[in-house]
Amino acid sequence: MATTSADYNFRELEPHWQAAWEAAGLSRADNASSKPKYYILDMFPYPSGAGLHIGHPEGYTATDILARYKRARGFNVLHPIGWDAFGLPAEQHAVKTGTHPASNTRNNITNFKRQIRSLGFSYDWEREIDTTDPRYFRWTQWIFLQLFKRGLAYVDERPVWWCPELRTVLANEEVIDGRSEVGNFPVERRNLRQWVLRITAYAERLLADLKDVDWPDSTKRMQEAWIGRSEGAELTFALDGHPDASLKVFTTRPDTLFGCTYMVLAPEHPLVDVITTPEQRAAVAAYRKAASAKSDLERTDLAKDKSGVFTGAFAINPINGRKVPVWAADYVLMGYGTGAIMAVPAHDERDHEFATRFELPVIRVIAGEKGDEKLPYTGEGRLVNSPGYDGLPWEEAKRRVTADLAGRGVGRASVNYKLRDWLFSRQRYWGEPFPIVWVTPEDYARVAARRGSELPPQPVTYSENGQVFYALPLPASALPLVLPDVQSYLPSGTGESPLANERDWVDVWLDAVTGKSVPASQPRPAGEDWVRARRETNTMPQWAGSCWYYLRFLDPRNEAALAGPEALRYWAGPDLYVGGAEHAVLHLLYARFWHKVLFDLGVVPEPEPFRRLFHQGIILGEDGEKMSKSRGNVVNPDSIIQSHGTDTLRLYLMFLGPLEAMKPWNPRGIEGVHRFLQKVWREMIGEDGKMSAKLSPSDPGDAAAIELKRLLHETIRKVGDDIEGMRFNTAISQMMIFANALQKAPRVEITVARQFLQLLAPFAPHISDELWSRLGGTESIQQASWPAHDPKLLEKSEVKVVFQVNGKFRGDLLMPVGTTETEALAAARTHPKVAPHVEGKALARVIYVPGKILNLVVS
RNA sequence: GCUCAGGUGGUGGAACUGGUAGACACGCAGGUCUCAGAAGCCUGUGCUUAACCGCAUGGGGGUUCGAGUCCCCCCCUGAGCACCA
């Protein structure tokens, strides 16, 4: 049912059609459909207080176009949206205002939802999810229990980034230049008890399976680099005077072992205490203290000079028995490899710098072509100064040295990863509580007898004040474990989350079988399963909820499982995933890890979650700078919708340039696409508001009509191809070309106009449905199936042949398809623009590409 | 420093596997309509030239009948990573 305005009244017709679609349920996905499925997913937003940023509708418009297009092509399309709503900003707001973060989050979601709805996206709102909803995070907690059960979650004392201002621990990737990413506050190192997920157990598969996904190469390369696989050897050095201890190092260059002139331990390495001699003890202690205060960045980039201290101890090189001094230096990091290296200053730049500074010997063991390359030399070559191996190419020497040491039990080929285990806990309130309690060893043993299958192969424990505690999972039936209300959202100053202050929540009597609890301040209830327990006060990081949300969309109301097996089988995973490149590593790597664990459990049918991935680019401000409040260059989608309408905004976002490119916003450009829509309106609706008189039910049949129809079919083909290839900007250009032709045509068959509207509909759905209805459509344009182009109409009898002389364009001519080289040559010779350039010259060569080009090479 | 992505008119950008560089749009100029304006419509618009010619895709070289596209060197911009053994 159309509106009645005579002119293009977008303020009236856009809300009208949004309501009509909603009422008709056109965006719903059907879990019981026999149609082929297409699951298209946006990275769901964090509902910030600032409201929608113009970058959100950019990606969402792209996916909406595809969703509408795929529906028209007969697919059962799943196109959902939800809210990644745990996170620091809501917590900081709560700290400031004292209101519960849930209420702030609810307000933000309401605002986001209003904005997203006003853009006319065809989301299936019945599948809306919210990561902070207990019905959702119940399954986040359940997945954690599966990780726990499989021994993939453990507890460790870790030096972590502590931000006194935020009163929270930050992950490495949240710290930038020694300051917090959020808020830009100074941070320091602190040891805290943390939950850690063993993502390194999946390093090999996370790397190998990248070959199976259709992702941008740059993203794959970034993940590869992050996982950072390197092959080498783990070698064992004996320690002089310490027969019980030995020093393990990882090296990628076992071939340079004869050039090892000293060893370096990370200052935190446990052996430092063992081997430091009494004379060196004071110096080493001072050095360790200084190093511990430094960030990795200060130990590396900011330190222009290498620093270090001699431990007084010596190690014995396993290949030649030579004694080499052992140093401690902070350019070696405890978190990589074994936290110790063999230093080969002749063939490693860092070692060379260090050796120069501390006057340690440098021995060349690799000679390149010339043999006297400047040191450090890191190129390839053959071994020298390496008795028994001299003359061997370095690659072969790697294998030989490794094999020889392995034969003596002091080395083995080994693979090392840069990837570290995932620090998974936060000392915050606004996150999922861990479904874990801490109990005594005796209680754990008692429960283990009954619930053994839910426990990890090795118990997870920690000790405090000489007492050991065992991690006991809540039974899955007791989930969700919800957050208690708290008095204050300020973290306890001790590094624990605000939850630690809620004594009646933390210290409980727990029925270890049912998961029921009562505060420990009350008497122990009767029954043998009640144990004294202290709840885990850490919460999960924001990543947790976003690691699996794409699965919940398949079956969002299921109360028996994270999604039903039929839904998981039918939908599998997203066929296309669109979001910013800033998630190229962390989110996408963490989600792949969880997915693989779920795959191993038999929950999901495929080993990879996201088959095809696309990154949209960033929209910059008018000034070409990143949009930010402080620069005052932020564009608000609401104001564009008010001034030009949603269809114009959608179209303009897509016309700006390639979706993947970074591009500046230009407020003038929006007028261009708005004019285009007005033109389409004018060509179809007369001044009286009725269908334009130039539209006729029958085919006018004249030359102009034939040409228009040919152009329509060319447009059908190009728009379809461009949508599939996500080249929306050129699809719009083509539609503009068609609209210009439509304007010039004296009479137009209604069918031609209607098919054109179908092409426009995914991009500008409101105006398209309005015009469709006024041109006699009875159902929504969305329900019409996508037009097919007729290849016969695109066949041409004549093609333009370009004449070149010595590669330069000189003229062109329409010639029949199938023109021979001889005919084309004859035509070129008599062409008025071409002839002067060939007359009187010898023809050396002719290149003829039929239907395209004729190049005459003359001397 | 390393890795990746880019550099095309006054502007955003187009050019599928090497084949007329500048589609489409913005802006600008002139015209038309109008009492006047807005909107619409028509024409023009890389540089140079009266025109032909010539010159043009960051700079330089190369391959090719032919290069924005392929190869080599250099410059610039943006993003990411950072002594990774």
Side-chain angles (χ1 to χ4, degrees), chain A residues 437-471:
Chain A
V437 294
W438 295 98
V439 298
T440 62
E442 298 74 31
D443 283 342
Y444 185 85
R446 228 154 32 89
V447 176
R450 306 202 30 198
R451 291 177 51 208
S453 66
E454 298 166 46
L455 304 178
Q458 292 294 318
V460 172
T461 65
Y462 86 99
S463 56
E464 191 178 83
N465 305 327
Q467 214 198 326
V468 181
F469 294 96
Y470 278 58

Side-chain angles (χ1 to χ4, degrees), chain A residues 170-247:
Chain A
L170 300 171
N172 279 339
E173 48 272 23
E174 292 172 315
V175 177
I176 294 165
D177 290 345
R179 303 181 79 88
S180 62
E181 185 182 20
V182 175
N184 194 35
F185 301 117
V187 296
E188 58 195 46
R189 302 291 267 176
R190 212 194 236 203
N191 263 324
L192 284 178
R193 181 179 62 77
Q194 299 286 352
W195 281 94
V196 185
L197 297 186
R198 217 180 292 278
I199 190 172
T200 51
Y202 281 72
E204 196 64 54
R205 284 164 66 189
L206 288 168
L207 189 65
D209 290 354
L210 282 173
K211 70 178 183 334
D212 298 327
V213 293
D214 178 12
W215 286 18
D217 283 340
S218 58
T219 304
K220 288 192 191 184
R221 275 194 292 268
M222 280 170 82
Q223 292 220 347
E224 274 166 20
W226 193 268
I227 296 167
R229 182 182 201 275
S230 58
E231 282 184 32
E234 196 177 280
L235 308 179
T236 306
F237 284 61
L239 287 161
D240 193 34
H242 296 275
D244 300 336
S246 64
L247 182 51

Side-chain angles (χ1 to χ4, degrees), chain A residues 750-761:
Chain A
I750 293 178
T751 322
V752 169
R754 284 166 60 104
Q755 292 200 331
F756 169 68
L757 287 175
Q758 287 187 267
L759 305 183
L760 182 61

Side-chain angles (χ1 to χ4, degrees), chain A residues 756-783:
Chain A
F756 169 68
L757 287 175
Q758 287 187 267
L759 305 183
L760 182 61
F763 297 80
H766 309 81
I767 188 176
S768 305
D769 230 340
E770 174 75 18
L771 293 173
W772 176 263
S773 171
R774 294 204 195 193
L775 264 53
T778 48
E779 298 185 297
S780 167
I781 194 167
Q782 294 181 43
Q783 286 156 289

